[in-house]
Amino acid sequence: MSYTVEQSVGKHVYLYEVTAYWDKEKKQPRQKRTFIGKKDPVTGEIIPKKQKRCLSFEYGPIYFLTEIVETLELHELLLDVFPSIGREVLLAACFRVADQKPFYLCEKWLDRTYLTTSCDLSSQRLSELVQEVGEDEKAVFSFLHRWASQQRNNQFIVFDITSISSYSHHIDYVEWGHNRDKERLAQINLGIVYGEPPDTPLFYSVYPGSIPDVKTLKNILKKLSVFEVAPETLFVMDKGFYSRSNLVEMGIDIKFLIPLPANNKVFRELVTRHVETMVTSDSAFHCGKQLLYKVQDSVRIGEVECSAHLFLDTRRKQQEESALHAFLLEVESRVSESDYTRHGDLKIFLDENFSGWKHYFTIRQQNGMYEL
């Protein structure tokens, strides 16, 4: 059964043919829209959709991606879990990989791409498709579970968390939380797991933006166990994740590797304890052609006993010392070239020209002049 509907967008009225059908998978009635054309604003007559003629089609990208999909056996799994929309989902994914453009341009990509059978991926259809996949959590979980479980050649697991800021007020998962980008926006947290090798994504998890990173890590750990991906996982995190409360909460349940921030008290104590004595033949090793020094120690953070590894690159140390001395000399030279009779003028000059000067200098008054 088909019928025609009108949709007003601005000054234009567009017409669509709507076909109702029964979805055996979801066991509910569904609709498929096909764009017909638009109404003439004066006569009211239908202006049919222009039929584009293409003298040649692109075949290379779709052939290349199809070969990858078949090698990974992704096509069969996708059609098994999403029998009615699997092909559309796959083509939409191929478009994003091939063109890396917004979804509303997908239809133009299809018009110039060689396909054995046509497929409707208009902007309207893609919106319906994204909604349909997003709402079917059971099918998404089934797909990710089966996909991750069949990846058996992973030597280790790579995991990362990111957040996506959003202005939306209609997405349940968009909540206020710790924003890594320092934006005053609510967000969604996204965790993704890769297998190494062969650098294959295994699964992802979406969480409300208010959930702390540590709880996200623990949820991912449970999913790793359910998916039977790896019996043990080492989480490698950047220093932005570091905090005493995070490490204490992770405790012994999660194995982790994280760099200490340079301004951290534990870091400073480790450097003070070892930096003068770690340059020995026993602590030296080669990393490629570079000579480094390393010592191992243990530190207690809260109730957690952690193994600490301190590395020293003497060449980099000399370079940074030289850069610091050059910076200090430049500041002193520039200030001595001018006479400042007001404290505020000298401070403004330093703030505008030498970021971080306050770590090394103080302003003092002498004989009615201000100097460092």
Side-chain angles (χ1 to χ4, degrees):
M1 177 180 176
S2 299
Y3 57 93
T4 302
V5 296
E6 297 181 358
Q7 181 176 351
S8 298
V9 180
K11 298 180 181 180
H12 301 285
V13 178
Y14 297 93
L15 293 96
Y16 295 87
E17 181 184 43
V18 180
T19 303
Y21 67 95
W22 179 258
D23 190 326
K24 296 180 181 179
E25 181 72 15
K26 294 184 174 295
K27 297 182 179 180
Q28 62 182 4
R30 307 288 291 179
Q31 293 181 345
K32 181 179 180 180
R33 281 189 170 195
T34 304
F35 177 63
I36 300 174
K38 64 180 180 179
K39 274 190 174 182
D40 187 296
V42 178
T43 65
E45 295 180 354
I46 298 177
I47 303 174
K49 175 184 176 182
K50 293 181 179 179
Q51 300 296 324
K52 298 181 180 179
R53 297 181 62 189
C54 191
L55 299 179
S56 62
F57 295 92
E58 293 181 0
Y59 183 59
I62 197 67
Y63 172 77
F64 175 70
L65 293 172
T66 300
E67 287 294 311
I68 294 176
V69 167
E70 291 180 356
T71 300
L72 296 174
E73 299 180 355
L74 177 60
H75 186 257
E76 293 80 1
L77 176 57
L78 200 58
L79 288 177
D80 191 33
V81 178
F82 299 99
S84 61
I85 60 173
R87 183 170 181 266
E88 293 172 285
V89 171
L90 189 57
L91 280 175
C94 287
F95 160 70
R96 289 288 291 141
V97 173
D99 262 23
Q100 301 180 19
K101 293 179 180 178
F103 266 149
Y104 74 89
L105 297 173
C106 182
E107 194 170 21
K108 293 184 178 179
W109 178 75
L110 285 178
D111 287 340
R112 66 174 189 270
T113 300
Y114 175 80
L115 297 174
T116 53
T117 55
S118 61
C119 182
D120 173 26
L121 285 181
S122 61
S123 181
Q124 174 70 25
R125 176 55 189 152
L126 281 168
S127 297
E128 296 171 352
L129 195 64
V130 169
Q131 181 178 0
E132 189 171 343
V133 173
E135 292 178 346
D136 196 346
E137 295 182 4
K138 183 178 179 181
V140 171
F141 181 86
S142 175
F143 171 80
L144 293 176
H145 187 186
R146 292 172 58 180
W147 168 255
S149 299
Q150 72 185 34
Q151 310 304 315
R152 297 296 184 184
N153 297 322
N154 304 306
Q155 295 181 9
F156 55 93
I157 301 298
V158 179
F159 171 76
D160 196 11
I161 301 173
T162 189
S163 57
I164 303 170
S165 301
S166 175
Y167 289 95
S168 175
H169 299 286
H170 304 288
I171 302 176
D172 293 339
Y173 277 15
V174 173
E175 295 179 351
W176 291 94
H178 172 66
N179 195 298
R180 297 172 179 80
D181 300 321
K182 310 300 181 183
E183 297 175 331
R184 294 184 178 180
L185 290 172
Q187 62 189 20
I188 294 176
N189 288 333
L190 175 67
I192 188 165
V193 176
Y194 273 77
E196 290 282 356
D199 193 22
T200 304
L202 300 179
F203 64 88
Y204 69 92
S205 290
V206 179
Y207 301 97
S210 62
I211 294 183
D213 287 344
V214 173
K215 293 190 181 299
T216 303
L217 279 174
K218 290 188 173 182
N219 288 331
I220 286 289
L221 199 61
K222 292 178 181 178
K223 189 167 286 188
L224 283 169
S225 177
V226 171
F227 285 2
E228 301 176 350
V229 173
E232 294 185 3
T233 303
L234 172 67
F235 289 93
V236 181
M237 299 167 285
D238 58 40
K239 62 183 178 181
F241 185 84
Y242 177 87
S243 73
R244 175 189 169 94
S245 59
N246 279 356
L247 300 192
V248 170
E249 186 168 351
M250 284 190 291
I252 61 174
D253 296 330
I254 296 177
K255 295 183 178 180
F256 59 87
L257 180 64
I258 187 169
L260 284 169
N263 60 352
N264 181 265
K265 180 181 178 181
V266 176
F267 174 84
R268 294 198 300 268
E269 290 176 350
L270 281 169
V271 171
T272 302
R273 190 183 311 161
H274 294 288
V275 70
E276 297 297 333
T277 58
M278 68 182 300
V279 182
T280 67
S281 58
D282 291 337
S283 61
F285 71 99
H286 276 105
C287 181
K289 296 182 179 181
Q290 191 172 1
L291 179 65
L292 300 176
Y293 298 88
K294 174 203 151 185
V295 294
Q296 184 174 343
D297 204 340
S298 61
V299 294
R300 179 171 290 275
I301 301 175
E303 299 300 322
V304 182
E305 189 75 21
C306 300
S307 177
H309 302 266
L310 190 66
F311 296 87
L312 174 63
D313 180 350
T314 53
R315 183 173 59 179
R316 179 176 173 181
K317 178 175 178 288
Q318 291 173 353
Q319 292 173 346
E320 293 188 357
E321 286 178 347
S322 297
L324 174 60
H325 293 156
F327 171 79
L328 298 178
L329 291 172
E330 176 70 10
V331 175
E332 291 176 345
S333 174
R334 293 285 298 278
V335 171
S336 65
E337 292 174 355
S338 302
D339 296 330
Y340 290 94
T341 58
R342 296 177 58 187
H343 179 280
D345 292 340
L346 177 54
K347 183 178 182 300
I348 290 173
F349 169 77
L350 291 169
D351 287 341
E352 290 180 347
N353 294 278
F354 301 101
S355 176
W357 68 271
K358 294 179 182 178
H359 296 296
Y360 311 103
F361 295 100
T362 56
I363 299 176
R364 65 183 181 183
Q365 185 180 20
Q366 187 172 348
N367 300 325
M369 307 299 292
Y370 287 93
E371 58 185 22
L372 296 177

